[in-house]
Coordinates of all heavy atoms in Angstrom, one line a residue:
M1 N 12.3 -14.4 -21.3 CA 13.5 -15.2 -21.4 C 14.2 -14.9 -22.7 O 13.5 -15.0 -23.8 CB 13.2 -16.7 -21.2 CG 14.4 -17.5 -21.3 SD 14.1 -19.3 -21.0 CE 13.3 -19.7 -22.5
T2 N 15.4 -14.7 -22.7 CA 16.2 -14.5 -23.9 C 16.8 -15.8 -24.4 O 17.3 -16.6 -23.6 CB 17.4 -13.6 -23.6 OG1 16.9 -12.3 -23.0 CG2 18.2 -13.3 -24.8
R3 N 16.6 -16.1 -25.6 CA 17.1 -17.3 -26.2 C 18.6 -17.1 -26.6 O 18.9 -16.1 -27.3 CB 16.3 -17.7 -27.4 CG 14.9 -17.9 -27.0 CD 14.4 -19.2 -27.6 NE 13.0 -19.4 -27.2 CZ 12.6 -20.4 -26.5 NH1 13.5 -21.3 -26.0 NH2 11.3 -20.5 -26.2
R4 N 19.4 -18.0 -26.3 CA 20.8 -17.9 -26.6 C 21.2 -19.2 -27.3 O 20.7 -20.3 -27.1 CB 21.7 -17.7 -25.4 CG 21.3 -16.4 -24.8 CD 22.2 -16.1 -23.6 NE 21.7 -14.8 -23.1 CZ 22.2 -14.3 -22.0 NH1 23.2 -14.9 -21.4 NH2 21.8 -13.1 -21.5
T5 N 22.3 -19.1 -28.1 CA 22.7 -20.3 -28.8 C 23.6 -21.2 -28.0 O 23.9 -22.4 -28.4 CB 23.4 -19.9 -30.2 OG1 24.5 -19.1 -29.8 CG2 22.5 -19.2 -31.1
S6 N 24.2 -20.7 -26.9 CA 25.1 -21.5 -26.2 C 24.9 -21.2 -24.7 O 24.4 -20.2 -24.3 CB 26.6 -21.2 -26.5 OG 26.9 -19.9 -26.2
L7 N 25.2 -22.2 -23.9 CA 25.1 -22.1 -22.4 C 26.5 -22.1 -21.8 O 27.2 -23.1 -22.0 CB 24.3 -23.3 -21.9 CG 24.1 -23.4 -20.4 CD1 23.2 -22.2 -19.9 CD2 23.4 -24.7 -20.1
K8 N 26.9 -21.1 -21.2 CA 28.2 -21.0 -20.6 C 28.2 -21.8 -19.2 O 27.3 -21.5 -18.4 CB 28.6 -19.6 -20.3 CG 28.8 -18.8 -21.6 CD 29.3 -17.4 -21.4 CE 29.5 -16.7 -22.7 NZ 30.0 -15.4 -22.5
I9 N 29.1 -22.7 -19.1 CA 29.2 -23.5 -17.9 C 30.3 -23.0 -17.1 O 31.5 -23.3 -17.3 CB 29.4 -25.0 -18.3 CG1 28.3 -25.5 -19.2 CG2 29.5 -25.8 -17.0 CD1 26.9 -25.6 -18.6
T10 N 30.0 -22.2 -16.1 CA 31.0 -21.7 -15.1 C 31.3 -22.8 -14.1 O 30.6 -23.8 -14.1 CB 30.4 -20.5 -14.3 OG1 29.3 -20.9 -13.6 CG2 30.0 -19.3 -15.3
D11 N 32.3 -22.6 -13.3 CA 32.7 -23.6 -12.4 C 31.5 -23.9 -11.4 O 31.3 -25.0 -11.1 CB 33.9 -23.2 -11.6 CG 35.2 -23.2 -12.4 OD1 35.2 -23.8 -13.5 OD2 36.2 -22.6 -12.0
E12 N 30.9 -22.8 -10.9 CA 29.8 -23.0 -10.0 C 28.6 -23.7 -10.7 O 28.0 -24.6 -10.1 CB 29.3 -21.6 -9.5 CG 28.1 -21.7 -8.6 CD 28.3 -22.5 -7.3 OE1 29.4 -22.8 -6.9 OE2 27.2 -22.9 -6.7
R13 N 28.3 -23.4 -11.9 CA 27.2 -24.0 -12.6 C 27.6 -25.5 -12.9 O 26.7 -26.4 -12.8 CB 27.0 -23.3 -14.0 CG 25.7 -23.7 -14.6 CD 25.4 -22.9 -15.8 NE 24.8 -21.6 -15.4 CZ 24.7 -20.6 -16.2 NH1 25.2 -20.6 -17.4 NH2 24.1 -19.5 -15.7
E14 N 28.8 -25.8 -13.2 CA 29.2 -27.2 -13.4 C 29.0 -28.0 -12.1 O 28.6 -29.1 -12.1 CB 30.7 -27.2 -13.8 CG 31.2 -28.6 -14.1 CD 30.6 -29.3 -15.3 OE1 30.2 -28.6 -16.2 OE2 30.6 -30.5 -15.3
R15 N 29.4 -27.4 -11.0 CA 29.2 -28.1 -9.7 C 27.7 -28.3 -9.4 O 27.3 -29.4 -9.0 CB 29.8 -27.2 -8.5 CG 29.8 -27.8 -7.2 CD 30.1 -26.9 -6.1 NE 29.1 -25.8 -5.9 CZ 27.9 -26.0 -5.3 NH1 27.5 -27.2 -4.9 NH2 27.1 -25.0 -5.2
Q16 N 26.9 -27.4 -9.8 CA 25.4 -27.6 -9.6 C 24.9 -28.7 -10.5 O 24.1 -29.5 -10.1 CB 24.7 -26.3 -9.8 CG 24.9 -25.2 -8.7 CD 24.3 -23.9 -9.0 OE1 24.2 -23.5 -10.1 NE2 23.9 -23.2 -7.9
V17 N 25.4 -28.7 -11.7 CA 24.9 -29.7 -12.7 C 25.4 -31.1 -12.2 O 24.6 -32.0 -12.3 CB 25.4 -29.4 -14.1 CG1 25.2 -30.6 -15.0 CG2 24.7 -28.1 -14.7
E18 N 26.6 -31.2 -11.7 CA 27.1 -32.5 -11.2 C 26.2 -32.9 -10.0 O 25.9 -34.1 -9.9 CB 28.5 -32.4 -10.8 CG 29.5 -32.3 -12.0 CD 29.4 -33.6 -12.9 OE1 29.3 -34.7 -12.3 OE2 29.5 -33.4 -14.1
K19 N 25.9 -32.1 -9.1 CA 25.1 -32.4 -8.0 C 23.7 -32.8 -8.4 O 23.2 -33.8 -7.9 CB 25.1 -31.3 -7.0 CG 24.4 -31.6 -5.7 CD 24.6 -30.5 -4.6 CE 24.0 -31.0 -3.3 NZ 24.2 -30.0 -2.2
A20 N 23.1 -32.1 -9.3 CA 21.8 -32.4 -9.8 C 21.8 -33.7 -10.6 O 20.9 -34.5 -10.5 CB 21.3 -31.3 -10.7
S21 N 22.9 -34.0 -11.3 CA 23.1 -35.3 -12.0 C 23.1 -36.4 -11.0 O 22.5 -37.5 -11.3 CB 24.3 -35.2 -12.8 OG 24.5 -36.4 -13.5
E22 N 23.7 -36.3 -9.9 CA 23.8 -37.3 -8.9 C 22.4 -37.6 -8.4 O 22.0 -38.8 -8.1 CB 24.7 -37.0 -7.8 CG 26.2 -36.9 -8.2 CD 27.1 -36.3 -7.1 OE1 26.6 -36.1 -6.0 OE2 28.2 -36.1 -7.4
I23 N 21.6 -36.6 -8.2 CA 20.2 -36.7 -7.7 C 19.3 -37.5 -8.7 O 18.5 -38.3 -8.4 CB 19.6 -35.4 -7.4 CG1 20.4 -34.7 -6.2 CG2 18.1 -35.5 -7.1 CD1 20.0 -33.3 -5.9
V24 N 19.5 -37.1 -10.0 CA 18.7 -37.7 -11.1 C 19.1 -39.1 -11.4 O 18.3 -40.0 -11.8 CB 18.7 -36.8 -12.3 CG1 18.1 -37.4 -13.5 CG2 18.1 -35.4 -12.0
A25 N 20.4 -39.4 -11.3 CA 20.9 -40.8 -11.7 C 20.2 -41.9 -10.9 O 19.8 -41.8 -9.8 CB 22.4 -40.8 -11.4
N26 N 20.0 -43.0 -11.7 CA 19.4 -44.2 -11.1 C 20.3 -45.0 -10.2 O 19.9 -45.7 -9.3 CB 18.9 -45.1 -12.2 CG 17.7 -44.6 -12.9 OD1 16.9 -43.9 -12.4 ND2 17.6 -44.8 -14.2
S27 N 21.6 -44.9 -10.4 CA 22.6 -45.6 -9.6 C 23.9 -44.8 -9.7 O 24.0 -43.8 -10.4 CB 22.8 -47.0 -10.1 OG 23.4 -47.0 -11.4
S28 N 24.9 -45.2 -8.9 CA 26.2 -44.6 -8.9 C 26.9 -44.7 -10.3 O 27.8 -43.9 -10.6 CB 27.1 -45.1 -7.8 OG 27.3 -46.5 -7.9
D29 N 26.5 -45.7 -11.0 CA 27.1 -45.9 -12.4 C 26.4 -45.2 -13.5 O 26.9 -45.1 -14.6 CB 27.1 -47.4 -12.7 CG 28.0 -48.2 -11.7 OD1 28.9 -47.7 -11.2 OD2 27.7 -49.4 -11.5
D30 N 25.2 -44.6 -13.2 CA 24.4 -43.9 -14.2 C 25.0 -42.5 -14.4 O 25.3 -41.8 -13.5 CB 23.0 -43.9 -13.7 CG 22.0 -43.4 -14.8 OD1 22.4 -43.4 -16.0 OD2 20.9 -42.9 -14.4
D31 N 25.1 -42.1 -15.6 CA 25.5 -40.8 -16.0 C 24.5 -40.2 -16.9 O 24.6 -40.3 -18.2 CB 26.9 -40.8 -16.6 CG 27.5 -39.4 -16.9 OD1 27.0 -38.5 -16.3 OD2 28.4 -39.3 -17.7
P32 N 23.4 -39.6 -16.4 CA 22.3 -39.1 -17.3 C 22.8 -37.9 -18.1 O 23.7 -37.1 -17.7 CB 21.3 -38.6 -16.3 CG 21.9 -38.4 -15.0 CD 23.1 -39.3 -15.0
P33 N 22.2 -37.8 -19.3 CA 22.6 -36.6 -20.2 C 22.2 -35.3 -19.5 O 21.2 -35.3 -18.7 CB 21.8 -36.8 -21.5 CG 21.1 -38.1 -21.3 CD 21.3 -38.6 -19.9
M34 N 22.9 -34.2 -19.9 CA 22.6 -32.9 -19.3 C 21.1 -32.5 -19.6 O 20.5 -31.9 -18.7 CB 23.5 -31.8 -19.8 CG 23.4 -30.5 -19.1 SD 24.4 -29.2 -19.6 CE 26.0 -29.8 -19.1
S35 N 20.6 -32.9 -20.7 CA 19.2 -32.5 -21.1 C 18.2 -33.1 -20.1 O 17.3 -32.5 -19.7 CB 18.9 -32.9 -22.5 OG 19.0 -34.3 -22.6
V36 N 18.5 -34.3 -19.6 CA 17.7 -35.0 -18.6 C 17.8 -34.3 -17.3 O 16.8 -34.1 -16.6 CB 18.0 -36.5 -18.5 CG1 17.3 -37.2 -17.3 CG2 17.7 -37.2 -19.8
V37 N 19.0 -33.9 -16.9 CA 19.2 -33.2 -15.7 C 18.5 -31.9 -15.7 O 17.8 -31.5 -14.7 CB 20.7 -33.0 -15.4 CG1 20.9 -32.2 -14.1 CG2 21.4 -34.4 -15.2
I38 N 18.6 -31.1 -16.8 CA 17.9 -29.8 -16.9 C 16.4 -30.0 -16.9 O 15.7 -29.2 -16.3 CB 18.4 -29.1 -18.2 CG1 19.9 -28.7 -18.0 CG2 17.5 -27.9 -18.5 CD1 20.5 -28.1 -19.3
D39 N 15.9 -31.0 -17.6 CA 14.4 -31.3 -17.6 C 13.9 -31.6 -16.2 O 12.9 -31.1 -15.8 CB 14.1 -32.4 -18.6 CG 14.2 -32.1 -20.0 OD1 14.3 -30.9 -20.4 OD2 14.2 -33.0 -20.9
A40 N 14.7 -32.4 -15.5 CA 14.3 -32.7 -14.1 C 14.3 -31.4 -13.2 O 13.4 -31.2 -12.4 CB 15.2 -33.8 -13.5
A41 N 15.3 -30.6 -13.4 CA 15.4 -29.4 -12.6 C 14.2 -28.4 -12.9 O 13.6 -27.8 -12.0 CB 16.7 -28.7 -12.8
L42 N 13.9 -28.3 -14.2 CA 12.8 -27.4 -14.6 C 11.4 -28.0 -14.0 O 10.6 -27.2 -13.5 CB 12.7 -27.3 -16.1 CG 13.9 -26.5 -16.7 CD1 13.8 -26.6 -18.2 CD2 13.9 -25.1 -16.2
A43 N 11.2 -29.3 -14.2 CA 10.0 -29.9 -13.6 C 9.9 -29.7 -12.1 O 8.8 -29.4 -11.6 CB 10.0 -31.4 -14.0
H44 N 11.0 -29.9 -11.4 CA 11.0 -29.7 -10.0 C 10.6 -28.2 -9.6 O 9.9 -28.0 -8.7 CB 12.4 -30.1 -9.4 CG 12.5 -29.9 -7.9 ND1 11.7 -30.5 -7.0 CD2 13.2 -29.0 -7.2 CE1 12.0 -30.1 -5.8 NE2 12.9 -29.2 -5.9
L45 N 11.2 -27.3 -10.3 CA 10.9 -25.9 -10.1 C 9.4 -25.6 -10.3 O 8.8 -25.0 -9.4 CB 11.7 -25.0 -11.0 CG 11.4 -23.5 -10.9 CD1 11.7 -22.9 -9.5 CD2 12.2 -22.7 -12.0
I46 N 8.9 -26.1 -11.3 CA 7.4 -25.8 -11.6 C 6.6 -26.5 -10.6 O 5.6 -25.9 -10.1 CB 7.1 -26.3 -13.1 CG1 7.8 -25.4 -14.1 CG2 5.6 -26.3 -13.3 CD1 7.9 -26.0 -15.5
Q47 N 6.9 -27.8 -10.3 CA 6.1 -28.5 -9.3 C 6.2 -27.9 -7.9 O 5.2 -27.8 -7.1 CB 6.5 -30.0 -9.2 CG 6.1 -30.7 -10.4 CD 6.7 -32.1 -10.5 OE1 7.4 -32.6 -9.5 NE2 6.5 -32.8 -11.6
S48 N 7.4 -27.4 -7.5 CA 7.6 -26.7 -6.2 C 6.7 -25.5 -6.1 O 6.1 -25.2 -5.1 CB 9.0 -26.4 -6.0 OG 9.8 -27.5 -5.9
E49 N 6.7 -24.7 -7.2 CA 5.9 -23.5 -7.2 C 4.4 -23.8 -7.0 O 3.6 -23.2 -6.3 CB 6.1 -22.7 -8.5 CG 5.6 -21.2 -8.4 CD 4.2 -21.0 -9.0 OE1 3.7 -21.9 -9.7 OE2 3.7 -20.0 -8.8
E50 N 3.9 -24.9 -7.8 CA 2.5 -25.3 -7.7 C 2.2 -25.8 -6.2 O 1.2 -25.5 -5.7 CB 2.3 -26.4 -8.7 CG 2.3 -25.9 -10.1 CD 2.2 -27.0 -11.1 OE1 2.3 -28.2 -10.8 OE2 2.1 -26.7 -12.3
N51 N 3.2 -26.5 -5.6 CA 2.9 -27.1 -4.3 C 2.8 -25.9 -3.3 O 2.0 -26.0 -2.4 CB 4.1 -28.0 -3.9 CG 4.0 -29.3 -4.6 OD1 3.0 -29.7 -5.2 ND2 5.1 -30.0 -4.7
I52 N 3.7 -24.9 -3.4 CA 3.6 -23.8 -2.5 C 2.3 -23.0 -2.7 O 1.6 -22.6 -1.7 CB 4.8 -22.8 -2.6 CG1 6.1 -23.5 -2.1 CG2 4.6 -21.5 -1.9 CD1 7.4 -22.8 -2.3
C53 N 1.9 -22.8 -3.9 CA 0.6 -22.2 -4.2 C -0.6 -22.9 -3.6 O -1.5 -22.4 -2.9 CB 0.4 -22.0 -5.7 SG 1.4 -20.7 -6.4
D54 N -0.5 -24.3 -3.7 CA -1.6 -25.1 -3.2 C -1.6 -25.1 -1.6 O -2.7 -25.0 -1.0 CB -1.5 -26.6 -3.6 CG -1.8 -26.7 -5.1 OD1 -2.4 -25.8 -5.7 OD2 -1.4 -27.8 -5.7
A55 N -0.4 -25.0 -1.0 CA -0.3 -25.1 0.4 C -0.8 -23.7 1.0 O -1.2 -23.7 2.2 CB 1.1 -25.3 0.8
C56 N -0.7 -22.7 0.3 CA -1.1 -21.3 0.8 C -2.6 -21.3 1.3 O -2.9 -20.6 2.2 CB -0.9 -20.3 -0.2 SG 0.8 -19.8 -0.4
S57 N -3.4 -22.1 0.6 CA -4.8 -22.1 1.0 C -5.1 -23.0 2.2 O -6.1 -22.8 2.9 CB -5.7 -22.6 -0.2 OG -5.4 -23.9 -0.5
D58 N -4.2 -23.9 2.6 CA -4.4 -24.8 3.7 C -3.5 -24.5 4.9 O -3.9 -24.8 6.0 CB -4.1 -26.2 3.2 CG -5.0 -26.7 2.1 OD1 -6.1 -26.2 2.0 OD2 -4.5 -27.6 1.3
L59 N -2.4 -23.8 4.7 CA -1.4 -23.6 5.8 C -1.2 -22.1 6.0 O -1.2 -21.4 5.1 CB -0.1 -24.4 5.5 CG -0.2 -25.9 5.3 CD1 1.1 -26.4 4.8 CD2 -0.7 -26.6 6.6
D60 N -0.8 -21.8 7.2 CA -0.4 -20.4 7.5 C 1.0 -20.2 7.0 O 1.8 -21.1 6.9 CB -0.5 -20.1 9.0 CG 0.4 -21.0 9.8 OD1 0.2 -22.2 10.0 OD2 1.4 -20.4 10.3
P61 N 1.4 -18.9 6.8 CA 2.7 -18.6 6.2 C 3.8 -19.1 7.1 O 4.9 -19.5 6.6 CB 2.7 -17.0 6.1 CG 1.2 -16.7 6.0 CD 0.5 -17.7 6.8
A62 N 3.7 -19.0 8.4 CA 4.8 -19.4 9.3 C 5.1 -20.9 9.1 O 6.3 -21.3 9.3 CB 4.4 -19.2 10.8
T63 N 4.1 -21.7 8.8 CA 4.3 -23.1 8.5 C 5.1 -23.4 7.2 O 5.9 -24.3 7.1 CB 3.0 -23.9 8.5 OG1 2.4 -23.7 9.8 CG2 3.2 -25.4 8.3
I64 N 4.8 -22.6 6.2 CA 5.3 -22.8 4.9 C 6.7 -22.1 4.7 O 7.6 -22.7 4.0 CB 4.4 -22.1 3.8 CG1 3.0 -22.9 3.8 CG2 5.0 -22.2 2.4 CD1 2.0 -22.2 2.9
Q65 N 7.0 -21.1 5.4 CA 8.2 -20.3 5.2 C 9.5 -21.2 5.4 O 10.5 -20.9 4.8 CB 8.3 -19.1 6.1 CG 7.4 -18.0 5.5 CD 7.3 -16.7 6.3 OE1 7.7 -16.7 7.5 NE2 6.9 -15.7 5.7
P66 N 9.6 -22.1 6.3 CA 10.8 -22.9 6.4 C 11.1 -23.7 5.1 O 12.3 -24.1 5.0 CB 10.5 -23.9 7.6 CG 9.5 -23.3 8.4 CD 8.6 -22.5 7.4
F67 N 10.2 -23.8 4.2 CA 10.4 -24.5 3.0 C 10.8 -23.6 1.8 O 11.0 -24.0 0.7 CB 9.1 -25.3 2.6 CG 8.8 -26.4 3.6 CD1 7.8 -26.1 4.5 CD2 9.5 -27.5 3.7 CE1 7.5 -27.1 5.5 CE2 9.2 -28.5 4.6 CZ 8.2 -28.2 5.6
N68 N 10.9 -22.3 2.1 CA 11.4 -21.3 1.2 C 12.8 -21.7 0.7 O 13.6 -22.3 1.5 CB 11.4 -19.9 1.7 CG 10.1 -19.3 1.9 OD1 9.1 -19.9 1.5 ND2 10.0 -18.1 2.5
T69 N 13.1 -21.4 -0.5 CA 14.4 -21.7 -1.1 C 15.0 -20.4 -1.6 O 14.4 -19.4 -1.6 CB 14.4 -22.7 -2.2 OG1 13.7 -22.2 -3.3 CG2 13.7 -24.0 -1.7
D70 N 16.2 -20.5 -2.2 CA 16.8 -19.3 -2.9 C 16.0 -18.9 -4.1 O 16.2 -17.8 -4.7 CB 18.3 -19.6 -3.3 CG 19.2 -19.7 -2.0 OD1 18.8 -19.2 -1.0 OD2 20.3 -20.2 -2.2
V71 N 15.2 -19.8 -4.6 CA 14.5 -19.6 -5.9 C 13.0 -19.2 -5.6 O 12.5 -18.2 -6.2 CB 14.5 -20.8 -6.8 CG1 13.7 -20.6 -8.1 CG2 16.0 -21.2 -7.1
L72 N 12.4 -20.0 -4.8 CA 11.0 -19.7 -4.5 C 10.8 -19.5 -3.0 O 11.4 -20.2 -2.2 CB 10.1 -20.9 -4.9 CG 9.9 -21.2 -6.4 CD1 9.1 -22.5 -6.5 CD2 9.3 -20.1 -7.1
G73 N 9.9 -18.6 -2.7 CA 9.6 -18.3 -1.3 C 8.3 -17.7 -1.1 O 7.8 -16.9 -2.0
L74 N 7.6 -17.9 0.0 CA 6.4 -17.3 0.3 C 6.6 -15.9 0.9 O 7.3 -15.8 1.9 CB 5.6 -18.2 1.4 CG 4.3 -17.6 1.8 CD1 3.3 -17.7 0.7 CD2 3.8 -18.4 3.1
R75 N 6.1 -15.0 0.2 CA 6.2 -13.6 0.7 C 5.1 -13.2 1.5 O 5.2 -12.7 2.6 CB 6.3 -12.6 -0.5 CG 6.6 -11.2 -0.1 CD 6.9 -10.4 -1.3 NE 7.2 -9.0 -0.9 CZ 7.3 -8.0 -1.7 NH1 7.2 -8.2 -3.0 NH2 7.5 -6.8 -1.3
Y76 N 3.9 -13.4 1.1 CA 2.7 -13.2 1.9 C 1.8 -14.4 1.7 O 2.0 -15.2 0.8 CB 1.9 -11.9 1.4 CG 2.8 -10.7 1.5 CD1 3.3 -10.0 0.4 CD2 3.1 -10.2 2.8 CE1 4.0 -8.9 0.5 CE2 3.8 -9.0 2.9 CZ 4.3 -8.4 1.8 OH 5.1 -7.3 1.9
R77 N 0.8 -14.5 2.4 CA -0.1 -15.7 2.3 C -0.7 -15.9 0.9 O -1.0 -17.0 0.5 CB -1.3 -15.5 3.3 CG -2.1 -16.7 3.4 CD -3.0 -16.7 4.6 NE -3.9 -17.8 4.6 CZ -3.6 -19.0 5.0 NH1 -2.4 -19.3 5.2 NH2 -4.6 -20.0 5.0
T78 N -0.8 -14.8 0.1 CA -1.4 -14.9 -1.2 C -0.5 -14.8 -2.3 O -0.9 -14.7 -3.5 CB -2.6 -13.9 -1.3 OG1 -2.0 -12.6 -1.2 CG2 -3.7 -14.2 -0.3
E79 N 0.8 -14.7 -2.1 CA 1.8 -14.4 -3.1 C 3.0 -15.3 -3.0 O 3.6 -15.4 -1.9 CB 2.2 -12.9 -3.1 CG 3.2 -12.6 -4.2 CD 3.5 -11.1 -4.1 OE1 2.8 -10.3 -3.5 OE2 4.5 -10.7 -4.7
I80 N 3.4 -15.9 -4.1 CA 4.7 -16.6 -4.2 C 5.7 -15.7 -4.9 O 5.4 -15.2 -6.0 CB 4.5 -17.9 -5.0 CG1 3.5 -18.8 -4.3 CG2 5.9 -18.6 -5.1 CD1 3.8 -19.3 -2.9
E81 N 6.8 -15.5 -4.4 CA 7.8 -14.6 -4.9 C 9.0 -15.5 -5.4 O 9.5 -16.3 -4.8 CB 8.3 -13.7 -3.8 CG 9.4 -12.8 -4.3 CD 9.9 -11.9 -3.2 OE1 10.2 -12.4 -2.1 OE2 10.1 -10.7 -3.4
S82 N 9.4 -15.2 -6.7 CA 10.6 -15.8 -7.3 C 11.8 -14.9 -6.9 O 11.8 -13.8 -7.3 CB 10.5 -16.0 -8.8 OG 11.7 -16.5 -9.3
R83 N 12.7 -15.4 -6.2 CA 13.9 -14.6 -5.8 C 15.1 -14.9 -6.7 O 16.2 -14.5 -6.4 CB 14.2 -14.8 -4.4 CG 13.1 -14.4 -3.5 CD 13.4 -14.6 -2.1 NE 13.2 -16.0 -1.7 CZ 13.3 -16.5 -0.5 NH1 13.5 -15.7 0.5 NH2 13.1 -17.7 -0.3
W84 N 14.9 -15.6 -7.8 CA 16.0 -16.0 -8.6 C 16.7 -14.8 -9.3 O 17.9 -14.7 -9.4 CB 15.6 -17.1 -9.6 CG 16.7 -17.7 -10.3 CD1 17.0 -17.5 -11.7 CD2 17.7 -18.5 -9.8 NE1 18.2 -18.1 -12.0 CE2 18.6 -18.8 -10.9 CE3 18.0 -19.0 -8.6 CZ2 19.7 -19.6 -10.7 CZ3 19.1 -19.9 -8.4 CH2 20.0 -20.1 -9.5
R85 N 15.8 -13.9 -9.8 CA 16.4 -12.7 -10.5 C 15.9 -11.5 -9.8 O 14.8 -11.4 -9.3 CB 16.0 -12.8 -11.9 CG 16.6 -13.9 -12.6 CD 16.5 -13.8 -14.1 NE 17.6 -13.0 -14.6 CZ 17.6 -12.4 -15.7 NH1 16.6 -12.4 -16.5 NH2 18.7 -11.7 -16.0

C-alpha cells in the first residue's frame, strides 16, 4: 500500500462515504466523523474475509458464492480472491 498525504474525494467516493456514514450512524441525527466511517469499513472488510475463510471449511462453494461481493469472493473452495484491484 502506498502512503499518501491526501485522500481525493471523487463524486462516487463521496456518495459511498455518505452511504457508509448512514450505516454507521446511531440515528438520523448522528453525523459520524469520516475516520469512524473508514474504521468501520476496514473492520467490516477484514471480518468479511475471515468469515468467508471460516465458512470454506464448513460449506460448499455453491452455498458461499451468493455472498461474494465486488471486493471479496470465493474463487475455489480453498482460496479467497480479492477483486478490488
Side-chain angles (χ1 to χ4, degrees):
M1 177 176 75
T2 304
R3 301 227 179 244
R4 298 186 181 174
T5 57
S6 64
L7 178 65
K8 292 183 181 179
I9 304 293
T10 62
D11 289 344
E12 175 61 18
R13 192 173 281 162
E14 180 69 27
R15 186 189 65 73
Q16 291 175 328
V17 168
E18 285 298 320
K19 188 169 184 178
S21 180
E22 292 170 7
I23 294 169
V24 172
N26 288 327
S27 68
S28 60
D29 296 332
D30 189 19
D31 186 20
M34 188 180 294
S35 62
V36 171
V37 175
I38 292 171
D39 288 347
L42 293 172
H44 178 62
L45 175 62
I46 293 165
Q47 290 172 4
S48 294
E49 195 264 348
E50 290 170 352
N51 289 342
I52 290 175
C53 286
D54 290 345
C56 284
S57 61
D58 298 333
L59 302 170
D60 63 288
T63 303
I64 297 172
Q65 284 178 343
F67 299 99
N68 288 353
T69 67
D70 291 342
V71 178
L72 290 176
L74 179 68
R75 184 171 180 189
Y76 299 109
R77 185 165 176 76
T78 59
E79 181 180 342
I80 302 297
E81 177 184 46
S82 175
R83 297 182 282 189
W84 188 250
R85 294 192 88 201

